Amino acid sequence: MRVGLGYDSHRLLPGRPLKLGGVEVPSPLGTVGHSDADVVLHAVVDALLGAAGLGDIGEWFPDTDPRWHGADSAVFVSETLRRLAEKGFQVYQTDIIILAETPRLGPYKERIRQRLAELLGLPPDRVNIKAKTSEGMGAIGRSEGIACQALVALVEAP
């Protein structure tokens, strides 16, 4: 078994869409980034790559490459899973922490979990989603940004 840790953060601005784990979440504030700025999928991709010893998301999907401008981050997940399969790995489990003051994510956690399970080819009971606030502290607490930490476990494919 191999374990990887991923992290991502993006600024929040009014009038932008907010995608988390492949799910559009209604919010007056959305993420800013080169692709769709989905902090959950970016953190998961970083964790997957790290567990496999394949570097990080910026090496494979650089924000300097116009191919990824506005890209759906689900493409990053599928491409990363293809690379993992080539190396003989499959995803076993993931545990996610989304750090956001706003919007409140409780009502969306199950949809995010289901979508992430679908993208990773996992049963939903191997995907865990937690949402935390920063209790008003720092940039996240002031709703200036959103962040995500992801932990994944890989196993050798049968």
Side-chain angles (χ1 to χ4, degrees), residues 69 85 120 154:
H69 181 72
L120 295 174
L154 302 181

Side-chain angles (χ1 to χ4, degrees), residues 19 22 35-36 38 41-42 45 48 57 60-61 67-68 70-83 115 119:
K19 271 182 94 172
S35 65
D36 63 3
D38 187 325
L41 295 186
H42 292 185
V45 167
L48 292 168
I57 192 170
W60 292 99
F61 310 103
R67 288 182 299 164
W68 310 124
D72 183 337
S73 294
V75 172
F76 302 163
V77 174
S78 63
E79 181 61 23
T80 300
L81 292 175
R82 184 188 63 75
R83 288 186 176 110
R115 178 63 176 141
L119 289 170

Side-chain angles (χ1 to χ4, degrees), residues 75-116:
V75 172
F76 302 163
V77 174
S78 63
E79 181 61 23
T80 300
L81 292 175
R82 184 188 63 75
R83 288 186 176 110
L84 294 180
E86 288 174 356
K87 288 198 66 144
F89 296 115
Q90 66 183 38
V91 184
Y92 181 78
Q93 179 180 3
T94 187
D95 190 26
I96 309 292
I97 302 172
I98 305 168
L99 303 154
E101 204 70 24
T102 188
R104 294 293 186 183
L105 297 175
Y108 304 99
K109 289 187 334 182
E110 184 59 25
R111 283 186 32 215
I112 294 167
R113 181 170 89 116
Q114 293 292 331
R115 178 63 176 141
L116 195 52

Side-chain angles (χ1 to χ4, degrees), residues 29 59 155:
L29 301 172
E59 294 171 43
V155 293

Side-chain angles (χ1 to χ4, degrees), residues 7-59:
Y7 174 84
D8 193 39
S9 62
H10 285 278
R11 289 181 301 126
L12 289 170
L13 290 177
R16 301 273 309 166
L18 178 61
K19 271 182 94 172
L20 298 172
V23 173
E24 188 140 344
V25 174
S27 174
L29 301 172
T31 47
V32 177
H34 184 70
S35 65
D36 63 3
D38 187 325
V39 295
V40 174
L41 295 186
H42 292 185
V44 167
V45 167
D46 246 0
L48 292 168
L49 292 168
L54 292 173
D56 66 46
I57 192 170
E59 294 171 43

